[in-house]
Amino acid sequence: MARDAAPVDATVPAPDGFAPWVPRPRVPTDEPARRRWDTLAGGPVSGRLGPVAGVLVIVLGGIYLIWRLGTLDGTGAFGRLFYGAELVSYITVAWTVVMIGRMRPDRVRHAGTPVGTLDVFVTVCGEPASMVERTLRFALAIDYPHQTYVLNDGRIAGRKNWREIDALAARLGIPCFTRVDGTPGKAGNLNHALARTNGDAVLTLDADHLVVPDVGERIVGYLRDAAVGFVCTAQCFDTGRADVLNNADPMLFRAIQPAKDRDNSAFSCGNGTLYRRSALESAGGFSEWNLVEDVQTSYELHARGWSSVYHARPISIGTAPATAAVYAKQRLRWAMDHMRLLLFDNPLRKPGLRGWQRAHYLHTSLSPLLTTVQMVFLVGPPMSVIFRMRLVSGAAEEAYLFFGLPYLLSSALFIVAYAGGRPAARTVASSLFIAPLYLIAFLWVAFGYRPRSSGTTEKVFQPKMSVLVLPQITFALTLVASIIIYAFDTRPGRPVFALVWAGIMLMMMAGPLSAVSERRAAVERWQVPIRGTIILAVALLSALTFAN
């Protein structure tokens, strides 16, 4: 099939029948999007703050946990359960410190001059035609010679507008593959197109992502290394200033992925991944075994000896879940994907992986299960305030802050070092919000439940409520009840530490739970009144406690 014309540079070798390519001047087609692409704080974190904070976390956390062993007398079953949760949390953080410590802050990836034929797969499954059209126009504007394809899964998924997508593709002169049978889900859609195309490389784009025109210059050149099987990129979403749901996930894209890249373990996050066709063919195409194709396909390619590259800058900008209900559904699906890999295709037993690759994939697949212990920290304040259950023996209560506060501050410093100041709080808040979903995911996978389809994240109409957020709402209401009960509690020795703890946990949960509207500006306006009310109530009650 004929491909877009491009300038010729005879000094750059090219496959037979394909014109070489050189960069040419470009005019930004969407200036706000281009500014976000070019100013996003992607890539490895520079400086020594991160490693220093990591060492502090491990050392101070170890001292704290050793001290805590001597404070469990008289605390009962709950005190020991809480200590167990602290121990698991420490192991999780320490493991993350070690894995991120593999990152080399001074390592900068540079793609060579791109060469080879490129197919751009735009996957569609019921998204509005207006959204798809904008995505396709950006894909067509890629200045590297390429062929764009529409992968329309609307018909097989029962979406009403599948004919509209077919008509749109015909109007734009873009080949369109509309499936009538096959394995449901994105992987099946991609494999259907893979069998009907022949480009040397394949770039996958979601239906809502606007790609940069110089994507060829940015990432295609990595495939000049014959060992590279795929190139994954940082993700960029139009989240607004607050990003209460932490869709940007800076810890993943600024620290974890660069660390994985050091050990040839970076994995695809779906959109914006460039694959070498021969690598995909060696693995039997995109993996259809798991719920989503991205991590599992990366896993299979690594197991077959292919190398990966993590390009730490985004090459597209897209939409993200705007409501807590949609975010919960998305993260539950991803968690089930990780749990299935952990339980049924464990990295420790996977043939072909190297030592550090096993460690990275085990960290990725096991982290959701370890994160479920965060729920114990949410029930701590109610148990302390309402039922007066003690976490430490009476003689040790005064020393708790002496040992606990340095560990807490070093943990916060570690997250700030890699995620940034404001995103650090969102990172912790999202972890607390997701914890119940991870437990649900584990139970569903362990008992053999699997959704009929991997599904797609809603892009336009986003539900405001879901049963998946009921556990989080319950936790939040319990924390509110703890503060109210504390205010009217006339018993002596009210635990002011538990009150402050309840306020901090409630502030963390309030961010994600406030996303009950897809109107981003409204959600952002709610943040100050919500958090201000919590801070005022806790400060007033604490002052009254000390005054009495």
Side-chain angles (χ1 to χ4, degrees), residues 145-230:
H146 69 288
Q147 177 62 61
T148 300
Y149 296 93
V150 178
L151 280 56
N152 183 10
D153 237 18
R155 183 174 182 179
I156 193 175
R159 305 302 171 90
K160 296 181 179 179
N161 72 334
W162 68 269
R163 290 186 178 87
E164 191 176 355
I165 300 300
D166 280 359
L168 169 65
R171 176 162 56 86
L172 295 178
I174 301 175
C176 180
F177 301 124
T178 302
R179 291 200 297 162
V180 295
D181 55 22
T183 305
K186 185 177 177 181
N189 193 16
L190 289 167
N191 283 330
H192 181 262
L194 188 68
R196 290 159 175 79
T197 54
N198 57 13
D200 297 322
V202 171
L203 175 66
T204 60
L205 291 176
D206 289 345
D208 61 309
H209 271 259
L210 311 179
V211 67
V212 292
D214 58 337
V215 65
E217 181 180 351
R218 296 196 182 197
I219 65 173
V220 175
Y222 288 119
L223 297 185
R224 292 184 73 93
D225 183 345
V228 173
F230 65 103

Side-chain angles (χ1 to χ4, degrees), residues 31-214:
E31 191 59 35
R34 289 305 299 269
R35 285 199 299 269
R36 283 190 59 82
W37 285 319
D38 293 334
T39 61
L40 183 71
V45 179
S46 61
R48 299 181 178 179
L49 179 59
V52 170
V55 172
L56 288 175
V57 168
I58 293 176
V59 173
L60 296 176
I63 294 173
Y64 167 77
L65 289 172
I66 293 172
W67 170 80
R68 278 279 283 131
L69 274 174
T71 70
L72 298 179
D73 291 342
T75 60
F78 180 70
R80 286 168 171 76
L81 174 65
F82 193 87
Y83 180 76
E86 288 183 306
L87 184 60
V88 172
S89 180
Y90 172 76
I91 292 173
T92 304
V93 173
W95 191 2
T96 302
V97 168
V98 172
M99 302 312 291
I100 292 181
R102 299 289 298 166
M103 179 179 66
R104 291 185 295 189
D106 59 342
R107 185 183 190 188
V108 179
R109 288 277 202 174
H110 294 291
T113 303
V115 65
T117 54
L118 175 65
D119 291 333
V120 178
F121 288 178
V122 179
T123 54
V124 182
C125 188
E127 290 84 358
S130 58
M131 174 184 288
V132 176
E133 179 172 359
R134 192 162 183 239
T135 297
L136 292 176
R137 290 191 180 279
F138 271 71
L140 290 172
I142 293 173
D143 65 7
Y144 185 78
H146 69 288
Q147 177 62 61
T148 300
Y149 296 93
V150 178
L151 280 56
N152 183 10
D153 237 18
R155 183 174 182 179
I156 193 175
R159 305 302 171 90
K160 296 181 179 179
N161 72 334
W162 68 269
R163 290 186 178 87
E164 191 176 355
I165 300 300
D166 280 359
L168 169 65
R171 176 162 56 86
L172 295 178
I174 301 175
C176 180
F177 301 124
T178 302
R179 291 200 297 162
V180 295
D181 55 22
T183 305
K186 185 177 177 181
N189 193 16
L190 289 167
N191 283 330
H192 181 262
L194 188 68
R196 290 159 175 79
T197 54
N198 57 13
D200 297 322
V202 171
L203 175 66
T204 60
L205 291 176
D206 289 345
D208 61 309
H209 271 259
L210 311 179
V211 67
V212 292
D214 58 337

Side-chain angles (χ1 to χ4, degrees), residues 276-299:
R276 186 187 300 273
R277 179 177 292 271
S278 59
L280 286 172
E281 291 172 346
S282 73
F286 294 90
S287 175
E288 299 181 13
W289 175 79
N290 222 331
L291 300 185
V292 290
E293 88 296 338
D294 44 16
V295 175
Q296 192 68 32
T297 300
S298 304
Y299 190 55

